[in-house]
Amino acid sequence: MARVALVLGSGGARGYAHLGAVQELRDRGHEIVAISGTSMGAVVGGLVAAGKDDEFAAWASTLTGRRVVRLADPTWTGGGAATAERLMATLDEIVGDVTIESLPIPYTAVATDLAARREVWFQRGPLIPAMRASFAIPGLFTPALVDGRVLVDGGLLNPLPLEPTAAAAADFTVAVSLQGPREPHEPTSPARGFSVRRAEWAADLRRRFRRGEEELAEDASAPAAPEAPAEAPPADAVDVRPDVRTSEVVSLSFDAMQSLITRYRLAALPPDVLVTIPLSAARTIDFHRAAELLDLGRTLTKTALDDAGR
């Protein structure tokens, strides 16, 4: 048995894979002695630290697209498309009124202070508000107000928070990144493209985006959108996908930013074992796909641990 420091990254619904990673570590007899997480990683990490992750996994496996929308609590005000009040109430029922410092496993939730443009590490205080601040994806969930600070998703600055566990008394560190490439050899170099005439697409694009967050219900139950063509469109045409919605644009934009930041973070502080969940596994808002994503996380963690001889 080994002592493991566990780092859980951000990536929305793909974070269900964190649950599978934890199950695999436990089945191998490893002890988790420190946890840090951002966004969905902070949610799962907090549940693991509180010993409630199995209960959460059972509940999440019952979710449908329609139930996900109700839990999100869509809104038109407050700086986001949804408040997630019902979700937080459910987490409160599962976890209870506990503080971070009372957890049996040291835990850190990472959020972003918008005004100060810096990370906020929650290592003390009530657990549920720390989770809520960490997963407030800009544009999707309303920001959290804590001690006069406007806090949003920690993935904005640190999608894979390795630093909080750097000093943990662990035999090795396992990091689960939800920002893997869509393809095995996805290029990262700039692509060359052609501009198009604005008149050909501007009116249609405005109409589609005006629909806004009222289509969250459709997002939660619709199949994943196909990949965009690899080649740039010709100069007299543009591919405006009919199923592109504001919430999807926000999540895809956030994924693009986090993927780049994660690469730099890993280069600066590489973990002993890295589990990489590909972006193509699920969209950020696919919270109704818990069972399959949990299985994927377990499978990929098994492979990573085997490769590392752990």
Side-chain angles (χ1 to χ4, degrees), residues 276-301:
T276 302
I277 310 300
L279 285 165
S280 58
R283 298 179 302 172
T284 300
I285 56 178
D286 285 342
F287 287 101
H288 56 293
R289 297 174 55 191
E292 62 182 284
L293 291 167
L294 189 153
D295 289 342
L296 176 63
R298 185 166 190 154
T299 298
L300 294 179
T301 301

Side-chain angles (χ1 to χ4, degrees), residues 28-105:
R28 292 176 181 239
H30 297 321
E31 178 188 3
I32 299 172
V33 297
I35 301 172
S36 65
T38 292
S39 195
M40 188 62 170
V43 173
V44 173
L47 291 159
V48 172
K52 299 292 186 177
D53 49 298
D54 286 339
E55 186 176 343
F56 173 77
W59 169 79
S61 66
T62 68
L63 292 179
T64 62
R66 190 175 296 277
R67 286 190 64 196
V68 167
V69 173
R70 286 200 296 267
L71 287 166
D73 291 314
T75 182
W76 288 99
T77 61
T83 64
E85 290 181 3
R86 288 188 179 92
L87 172 60
M88 300 317 298
T90 300
L91 290 176
D92 193 51
E93 291 177 5
I94 293 174
V95 176
D97 186 16
V98 300
T99 60
I100 295 173
E101 57 267 32
S102 69
L103 296 172
I105 302 175

